[in-house]
Amino acid sequence: MLLTYAQEHTGKTPARLDWADLDETLIGGFLDSLETERHNSPRTRNLRLTAIRSLVSYSSLQHPEHAATFQRVLAIPPKRFERALVSFLTAEEIDALVDAPDLDRWEGRRDRSLLLVEVRTGLRVSELTGLNCDNVTLGTGASVHCENGKGRKQRAVPLNTGTAATLAGWMAERGGQPGEPLFPTRTGRPLSSDAVQRLVRKHADVAADRCPSLRNKRLHPHALRHSCAMALLQAGVDTAVIALWLGHADLRSTNVYLQADMTTKQRALELTKPDSTPPGRYQPPDAVLAFLESL
């Protein structure tokens, strides 16, 4: 994309470009075009800048004669952006989503097992689609074993009784061999990340008839991962354990759930209230309510 942009604005083909052509003005214009023309978010813009910085940092060792140009490019700051609260589902919304697939169809039974595993384990979508039949341990100590997590780290995530029973039924129907995908397509190939995203949205549309609050949420596979983390947090699980559960390399990555969880904040508020304050949230007296209703 950068070379295409450079050719359009310098009139030079990539083979004729020099490092002096890729100065901070051209790079800045390219980054701006990502937002205005390609409608990329500031996050994506910053990722592109990171890639450019990696290229320039390497090139500065090979072409020190362009050190001044490289230094100005490396000085381009990332763009600030607002961090939205993570999107997650309540227990009622999770139940509605998991029950949405049509169990009379093979795909429906597969999708129900997939959704249930996702909301109970919090796997990344790449980990979910990478599961093979031999990555599941049933019986005592039921768990799934991830081998293709972020940073190629391996970890095992436990399964509760209900999830293990549903998964056992699916695996008996699936009849897969070790090394074959746990959640395949009709042709036996692993589901793609896009396919998982489509099936989440499809079943969310169906579940919205039972649980209308789903219509106001932008659902994607990662929201199910967030839902697992929030369920653990609201159950009182320590954030260090949640980080291990989700495979976070840094404990600070788990702080986003603390920021989004109103239940934990409500409990903290209850601990700081005066002794004379009645339990629960404030309720105005009936006289005030009657006055407000008359307006």
Side-chain angles (χ1 to χ4, degrees):
M1 288 187 293
L2 175 60
L3 294 178
T4 300
Y5 179 87
Q7 180 174 343
E8 292 174 352
H9 289 76
T10 65
K12 297 181 180 180
T13 62
R16 294 178 54 241
L17 285 173
D18 188 78
W19 283 113
D21 297 317
L22 301 179
D23 56 12
E24 75 280 5
T25 301
L26 186 136
I27 299 297
F30 167 70
L31 295 173
D32 291 340
S33 72
L34 293 177
E35 294 187 85
T36 58
E37 298 175 14
R38 298 180 64 87
H39 306 292
N40 290 161
S41 67
R43 285 178 180 267
T44 302
R45 180 188 189 274
N46 290 343
L47 286 174
R48 303 286 182 259
L49 176 59
T50 300
I52 292 171
R53 283 177 169 175
S54 297
L55 172 65
V56 170
S57 296
Y58 170 79
S59 302
S60 63
L61 301 175
Q62 309 300 318
H63 299 280
E65 67 274 14
H66 296 291
T69 299
F70 293 148
Q71 193 63 37
R72 289 193 292 270
V73 172
L74 291 173
I76 298 176
K79 190 165 187 177
R80 293 181 177 272
F81 57 89
E82 295 182 358
R83 294 182 181 272
L85 294 177
V86 295
S87 176
F88 64 95
L89 304 183
T90 64
E92 181 184 3
E93 291 168 341
I94 289 174
D95 291 342
L97 179 64
V98 170
D99 291 341
D102 182 2
L103 299 186
D104 291 333
R105 303 180 68 246
W106 181 87
E107 288 87 351
R109 295 188 292 275
R110 177 202 64 190
D111 292 354
R112 186 179 192 278
S113 300
L114 182 149
L115 291 170
L116 193 57
V117 168
E118 175 61 10
V119 297
R120 301 307 180 201
T121 64
L123 298 180
R124 299 178 179 90
V125 67
S126 61
E127 296 169 339
L128 186 67
T129 57
L131 286 178
N132 293 327
C133 294
D134 55 345
N135 292 139
V136 180
T137 300
L138 297 174
T140 304
S143 63
V144 292
H145 185 80
C146 306
E147 297 182 348
N148 59 340
K150 194 173 183 180
R152 308 304 297 178
K153 294 181 180 178
Q154 300 183 7
R155 76 182 192 280
V157 185
L159 299 173
N160 61 19
T161 304
T163 304
T166 300
L167 195 53
W170 163 248
M171 292 183 69
E173 179 180 0
R174 164 77 176 87
Q177 298 299 314
E180 293 183 343
L182 179 61
F183 301 114
T185 63
R186 275 286 187 181
T187 58
R189 294 177 299 177
L191 286 171
S192 66
S193 298
D194 289 342
V196 174
Q197 182 162 327
R198 286 194 297 270
L199 71 86
V200 168
R201 290 179 177 173
K202 178 181 73 173
H203 296 310
D205 290 340
V206 175
D209 293 335
R210 167 183 165 184
C211 188
S213 61
L214 284 169
R215 293 193 179 96
N216 301 323
K217 295 192 174 181
R218 181 175 173 270
L219 272 190
H220 48 80
H222 215 67
L224 305 185
R225 175 174 163 85
H226 294 327
S227 302
C228 173
M230 293 300 294
L232 292 171
L233 183 64
Q234 292 171 355
V237 178
D238 187 81
T239 54
V241 176
I242 296 175
L244 290 173
W245 188 295
L246 298 179
H248 284 163
D250 192 335
L251 290 178
R252 290 176 296 182
S253 300
T254 316
N255 290 340
V256 295
Y257 304 115
L258 287 171
Q259 296 171 5
D261 182 26
M262 290 300 296
T263 304
T264 302
K265 296 174 183 176
Q266 183 67 33
R267 287 200 298 264
L269 183 62
E270 292 292 334
L271 293 173
T272 59
K273 70 181 188 305
D275 293 339
S276 59
T277 303
R281 295 189 176 183
Y282 169 74
Q283 295 291 334
D286 294 340
V288 176
L289 289 174
F291 174 72
L292 293 175
E293 292 174 354
S294 66
L295 294 179

